[in-house]
Amino acid sequence: MVFLPQKALCSFVVCVFQSRRSWIEDTFCKRACGKFIPACRDLHSFASLPLTPRCCCGRLVGEHTLLETGPSMSSWPGPGTGQQEEWSVECHTQTSATDAYGTIDFQDSAGRNCHAKYVRVAVDAKAEALLQLMRSEWQMERPKLLLTVHGGTENFPLPLKVRQAFSKGLITAAQSTGAWILTDGINTGVSRYVGEAVKTYGTHDLRKRNAVGVTPWGVIDNHSDLIGRDVLRPYQPLGNPLSKRVCLNGLHSHFLLVDDGTLGKHGCQLGLRRKLERHIQLQKIHPRFNQGVPVVCVVVEGGPDIVSMVLEYVSSVPPVPVFVFEGSGRAADLLAFLHKQTAIDRCGALTWENHPILAHFYLYKTQITIFDSESEDQQEADCAILTATLKGTKASPGEQLSTALAWDRADIAKKHILVYGQHWQVGSLEQAMLDALVMDRVGFVKLLIDNGMTMNRFLTVSRLEELYNTQQGPTDNFLHILVEDVKQTHIPKGYRVSLIDVGQVIEYLIGGAYRSTYTRKHFRAHYNLLYAHCKESGRDSSGPLNKKRRADCTLHPHQSPNSSPSRPPFFRTAQPYKRKERSMVLRDLKLAQQQSSELGDSPLFVYNFNDLFVWAVLQRRQQMALFLWQHGEEAMARATVACKLYRAMAYEFRQSNMDDTTGEQLKTYSMDFGQLAVDVLDRTFRQNERMAMKLLTSEMEAWSHFTCLQMAVSSRLRPFVSHSCTQMLLTDLWTGRLNMRKNSWFKIILSILMPPAILLLEFKSQAEMSHVPQSQEALQFGWDTGRPEAAQEGGHTVVKVPKCTPYTSLPECQSFLLYDFYTAPVVKFWFHTMSYLAFLMLFSYTVLVKMEDRPSTQEWLVIAYIISTAVEKTREVFMSVPRKPSQKLKVWFGEYWNVTDFLAIVLFLVGLGLRWDSGSYRTAGRITYCLDIIFWYVRVLDLLAVNQHAGAYLTMITKMTSNMFYIVVMMAIVLLSFGVSRKAILSPDEALSWSLLRDVVNQPYWMMFGEVYAGEIDTCEGDTPCVPGAFLTPFLQAVYLFFQYIIMVNILIAFFNNVYFDMKSISNKLWKYNRYRYIMTYQEKPWLPPPLIILSHMTLLCVWVWMHLFLDETPLKKLHEFEERCLVSYFHEKNQDVLCSQIDRVRATAERAEEMGVVMREVSDRVHFIQDTLKVLDSQLGQLQDLSALAVDTLTLLSASDSLQQEEARLGHCRPITPSRHHVPHSWTLPHGGGGSVDIMPCHTPRAYRSTPPSLLWVKGNVSSVNKWEKEATLTSFPATPPRPTAASHPPCCGATPPPVANPFTGVGKPISRMISLAFVKNVAMLVELDCFCFGCIQKHASASLIPIFPVVAWSLAAGEEVSVYTLEEVEAAGPESSISYWSSKGLSAMLQPLSSEGCLDGGLRRAMLVLCTWAERDVLRVGCVYVVKAIQPDVVCTWQRVFHSDTTLQLCLREIQQQRAAQKLMHVFNQVKPENMPHSPRFLDMSLLHWHSDGQWLTIERNMTGDFRKYNNNTGEEIAPCCGMEETLLAFSHWTYQYSCRELLVLDLQGVGSELTDPSVIRAEDKRYSDDMVFGPSNLGDAAIHTFVNKHTCNSCCENLGLSGERKEPFRPPLL
């Protein structure tokens, strides 16, 4: 592997990043208006009103960035000029590279990490580029379904059941199929409901949350915040409710922001969205299928445009089905009504001939599906959506099945596709089965099997090879790696694995004597003949078969390739699949073999499910393997095979240094199948013990004649081997027919020494031993003589055998008993053990006494014993199961004791050859004997392993010896480092010899055991001359003993202690597991021990012995049926346990409670709806009463004006009105804190301020008539600001003095004349609103007839209280870093209307009220925005003036603004100097000075904040415990201001919503020199607050990042006088 340097790696990453950016900027564009064309509505208004008109794109002149110079007023065409140029996107917009793409970080995610990818694209962007962006750059998964959601864009209520059905159905359908959801992406209307559905039922994974919003760029609120190239932009989706712009929904995952150059105009995204849908519809749903991606339109609510859009979808080619949620309102309910009517209509489209749209709708009614959530028999919403999609595509059944297969929705296929009577083309279901296996669709495999698909008809050589060479699933090509390991060569890329390769891999993984079916001779012959046949037919046989050859080169179990059976082109799926009995399969196979000898007549796959099961295991498809394991026969055997394969694959993963996670996963899979094998064994053991034991020992033809017990031992499945059933079987095998319980060893030894005692022992009957495997020799010797009759005992077949009775002859009885006694493994063990102990005594005598020239009798006996043992070992090798000699030797040498026996025999034979020499070689031979006897004594340990207690300790010793290798190596390194240096210092003149090497390790080795050689530590003592450097050896020895004796030896002891306790807990299981090897060893041994074993060998030459359980076809069938019954009961019990578990009960209870909650919420919603309706009716009744009273007053006034002359009426109206007290009706009284009763104060003549709105200047003199004012009031459009009256145009009441507006804090009233005129206009607007409320179902576009009334409504909204706003402006002084603040020379006028009652927002120092801006001069305030007006509490003003006599309320307001501006500047510097790892950038709101004209009061005003208002510290210095990054940043800001200002200033009382703050307190240290003034107002607590902050502030991570940690702890010192 080549490692790049860090600099090169960074350069590579930067290049990739830049290429990605350049591709997006080169591919996608934005649009901007390049020519100013005034809108048509402005052409009629700007001629008479000096307003700034807007362009057709929705922008003002100054907002056109592409205009070089702004057009003059004279260049604008007037209303009477020629035809106005029509603005268009193509002609009047210019394109440039997109400047907005990256990731949005939504700030109000409420605990969810909601990020979304976005890009700004032009309205004419290519759909191919958009899809490439979404698939390649955004890494979105391939869409298998496209759900395009349409509906209302404004907020609308959705019934509870409809909302739940829509949310759950939409998200379930999307997640289960891998669909994309397309919406408008805004935070209103149906898109908001989609976002709520994603939040409730969706996932947090961005790749799985494929909700794409296609949103117009010009209608997004604060879209300028998103400008940036490949950036992460924070976004707050909380817009102004009065604004026409919308916010993005934070629960969408991706956004396509469509830019057509306009601002504030909807609808430009629809064309691009439809084009993208068509392009996605052309993409393949899956690489294996040719079908395109289905598209379905989901309709919820909506307006008239939705109806036309639905007709466009259903009439397109190919058609797009539409799914409508009935009950959601408006267009959806209209479509549902029309659909029901057309379903009932029997006359067809003729009845709708007068209605073209309805006739068009009738023709495509089959493409529209109505979902009624109130219906009880309605299916789930997700199933209904998918079903409508399948039916709407008009595809064939095969294509529908492929689509459902790509979705992995077997339930849809079961209910609507694989139904009775459905016609299928030949091979459709086989191809569907192949696709389901390749795509790992377990549900579809089960469904196809249940509908008649048989593995005998499906599975062929080519299909199985295609499954092994599929690219689906894991992509690490681990199977190819295993093939390379088996072949010991590198295979090229693209190599296709054959079945013979698979067989070799299986043999490699299982190991031992296992032989796969794919590597046997008969399979190779048929396999080669198959490809030879293909080659003769003109096809290439060098590679596997492709799909085109599959029809001719496919080998079925019952069909020859040359035969062409006549089958109809279609067949039906009639009845569910019924498993064919194995006996019938075998009989059919034999019949087929007898009838024809042509190629392919002999079956290759007898156990089809076994082949697929092995494929699933090798491909690591656990769920598919678990499903296939449940089908077929020999379930317990297949579980042990899977356990072995998975364990071997996990070992290969670790040896190949591949992914550790995959290795652990494979180990988990192995444990799962091992547990299944144990569970099945336990189930069968509880059903029938003897049948369970037969399952353990019956040979499996499909698994290389292995038994379940052999496979379990091979896979090291200890729980299986240590099970009670296995141990009982092993006990019966160990004792044979001997029936002994106590003192068995004593009885056996006594019987061996005294053979007549055998007749006194008890033996088991043949019925009791029917489950134990018997050899052929045993059957021929004792139990197959004659023809025993079968009898039924307890439902099981028992063979009646001769017994030793008084009527049985004595020689015959004795022969049976002697054979049963001496062939029992336990007797063999004791016989061989006694012989071995005698051999050890003779061998010990031989090596201890003097060796003569010729061997003594004792030595001859030893020679005979060892030579006969060698002959026995040779027999074991050649009698082993593997076929090749190399494999036989590999299997035999895999046993540890066989290796020690081989070394002992070879070493003895070497010594025997040397002892025949009369010279020095005899001594070498004797020494060889002495060394060889060690191996024979160690062999006694294997005899002790049979004992349960000694065997556990032997296992511990083996574990310790195998695991201490690395510690011993480290100890050897320390030993050599000391021994070499010590010897080199003490013996500088030593010559090379073997003694030199011995001296290096001799003394250091014994020092580990406590021998320190104290007399040789200091070699300079006495008269011995010192060698140079000898003084170093004591120091080196001290260091060596410290490391070796104290550290390394104690580590070794601790390691042994840990191994001991670990092994002690599982020692019993380990002994039971190892017990199988001991029993099988003596089961296969001849009963005569060496040297008499030669006689047994001579007997074996005549009779070939195989140890297995002989079963013919009938018992095997019964055994498989018994296993299948146990498996069915096991799964039934398992399912019952799951259903009856406590968790399931809790889940069921929770679901019932949720259903009850839904019903209760529905009832509650209905109750609230009724209550709201009653409140609305009550309010309307009150409004009608007020209107009737007002109408009476108006009629009285009109009658008075008719009876008098016009001049006298005008003069009468202009005279001041006498003040009086009266109750004002609630319908036209402005809300204020004074309640319903107000005081009417005398009017006064106002001064003409230059900042006063001209619309409120009441000029005395001649005025025009009322008719002209009424004419101007009926203009079709009303400007954003009130019209400026001229000398010839003013309201009819111009002669009256301007009314004093009610102050929200003092409750001053207004004149009757002004209030009546305004109230009349407002009540006319209320009539319009009432009319719209009564006919709410009418579309907004249909209310065009009410446009003449709109100016009157707008005039009434411009009413309010007259104020003047003064702002604090900044001017640069010496440079950009320094500035001077000064107040504006004149105030700007505005109109404010109070919204909240007095006292609801009051604080400790201030009184506050919410107001709405209805008009503002020069945009000093935003019209339609809500502001907070604040006034100093009267008691605070009085208290302050007692100390500072010269200060007034105005000066207090100026101090408040001054300290907020100071905190603002400090925050600006703080945001510039803070490190990048502090992402939050808080800011203070702008505060302005406000003069309330009605009473001359001075106030402060700032923008209202919405959200969770938090306070982080107060002006006394106390603070909260921070729990997030924002809180830590704000507390660190207070600390930073203290240090930044050299401990002179401290900003406290931080409070606000999110990152927006207000009302801070700037604390300044007290200075006695300026005691006559207090800076920053009454909230400045001075030294006390600073002292409290210094003592109580706790530095956080932000303080550490700013370098402030530790500085706070310095004591606070007040400034010096």
Side-chain angles (χ1 to χ4, degrees), residues 942-1177:
D942 188 37
L943 302 178
L944 296 177
V946 178
N947 184 268
Q948 183 174 1
H949 304 286
Y953 290 110
L954 184 62
T955 305
M956 294 179 188
I957 294 173
T958 305
K959 187 72 172 179
M960 293 177 182
T961 306
S962 60
N963 291 347
M964 72 176 184
F965 173 76
Y966 294 104
I967 297 180
V968 172
V969 169
M970 289 187 285
M971 295 178 68
I973 293 173
V974 177
L975 185 146
L976 291 175
S977 63
F978 169 69
V980 172
S981 61
R982 178 176 179 272
K983 184 62 179 177
I985 293 174
L986 296 180
S987 302
D989 301 326
E990 190 75 21
L992 179 62
S993 61
W994 290 107
S995 62
L996 177 63
L997 299 178
R998 181 197 63 191
D999 295 340
V1000 168
V1001 298
N1002 184 24
Q1003 291 187 0
Y1005 177 77
W1006 296 112
M1007 288 179 184
M1008 290 190 303
F1009 302 100
E1011 179 59 47
V1012 296
Y1013 299 97
E1016 301 180 14
I1017 294 178
D1018 190 0
T1019 58
C1020 296
E1021 292 182 355
D1023 299 333
T1024 306
C1026 293
V1027 295
F1031 66 92
L1032 294 174
T1033 56
F1035 173 74
L1036 294 177
Q1037 183 173 350
V1039 175
Y1040 166 72
L1041 290 177
F1042 175 77
F1043 277 96
Q1044 192 79 318
Y1045 188 73
I1046 297 179
I1047 297 180
M1048 302 304 297
V1049 174
N1050 282 281
I1051 288 177
L1052 186 62
I1053 295 173
F1055 172 76
F1056 286 162
N1057 189 36
N1058 188 31
V1059 171
Y1060 171 78
F1061 283 108
D1062 290 343
M1063 301 299 293
K1064 186 178 180 181
S1065 59
I1066 59 174
S1067 60
N1068 190 29
K1069 289 186 178 180
L1070 288 175
W1071 177 80
K1072 291 180 178 179
Y1073 172 78
N1074 294 328
R1075 188 184 178 206
Y1076 171 82
R1077 183 183 62 82
Y1078 309 140
I1079 295 175
M1080 290 297 105
T1081 300
Y1082 287 98
Q1083 181 78 24
E1084 298 170 355
K1085 274 189 177 182
W1087 66 278
L1088 287 175
L1092 301 177
I1093 199 172
I1094 299 297
L1095 300 177
S1096 297
H1097 293 164
M1098 295 173 65
T1099 306
L1100 292 176
L1101 292 176
C1102 302
V1103 180
W1104 192 268
V1105 178
W1106 292 93
M1107 203 292 294
H1108 61 277
L1109 181 63
F1110 289 98
L1111 292 175
D1112 58 5
E1113 185 177 343
T1114 303
L1116 185 62
K1117 177 183 176 182
K1118 292 182 178 180
L1119 197 63
H1120 289 164
E1121 290 177 352
F1122 167 73
E1123 184 184 25
E1124 187 174 358
R1125 289 197 305 269
C1126 294
L1127 194 65
V1128 171
S1129 62
Y1130 165 73
F1131 280 107
H1132 179 72
E1133 182 180 353
K1134 190 175 182 179
N1135 294 333
Q1136 287 297 114
D1137 293 340
V1138 172
L1139 293 176
C1140 299
S1141 62
Q1142 192 69 19
I1143 298 178
D1144 190 74
R1145 292 178 180 177
V1146 172
R1147 187 183 297 110
T1149 305
E1151 291 177 356
R1152 295 191 185 98
E1154 184 178 358
E1155 293 177 357
M1156 291 297 297
V1158 171
V1159 176
M1160 294 300 296
R1161 284 194 296 270
E1162 185 177 358
V1163 173
S1164 178
D1165 290 344
R1166 293 181 179 178
V1167 171
H1168 288 310
F1169 176 76
I1170 295 174
Q1171 291 178 352
D1172 295 340
T1173 306
L1174 293 176
K1175 290 181 180 179
V1176 171
L1177 292 176

Side-chain angles (χ1 to χ4, degrees), residues 11 14 147 153 174 179 346 381 393 447 593 668 817 897 919 948 1030 1034 1073 1087 1214 1222 1391 1493 1529 1555 1578:
S11 301
V14 170
L147 299 169
T153 57
R346 300 181 180 271
T393 55
L447 184 62
Q593 292 178 8
T668 304
L817 297 180
W897 292 112
Q948 183 174 1
Y1073 172 78
W1087 66 278
C1214 294
H1222 66 282
M1391 299 293 292
H1493 290 182
T1529 303
S1555 61

Side-chain angles (χ1 to χ4, degrees), residues 847 851 859 908 911-912 925-933:
V847 298
M851 181 176 287
E859 188 175 356
F908 179 82
L912 180 62
R926 184 178 181 279
I927 295 174
T928 305
Y929 277 3
C930 296
L931 296 177
D932 185 62
I933 198 173

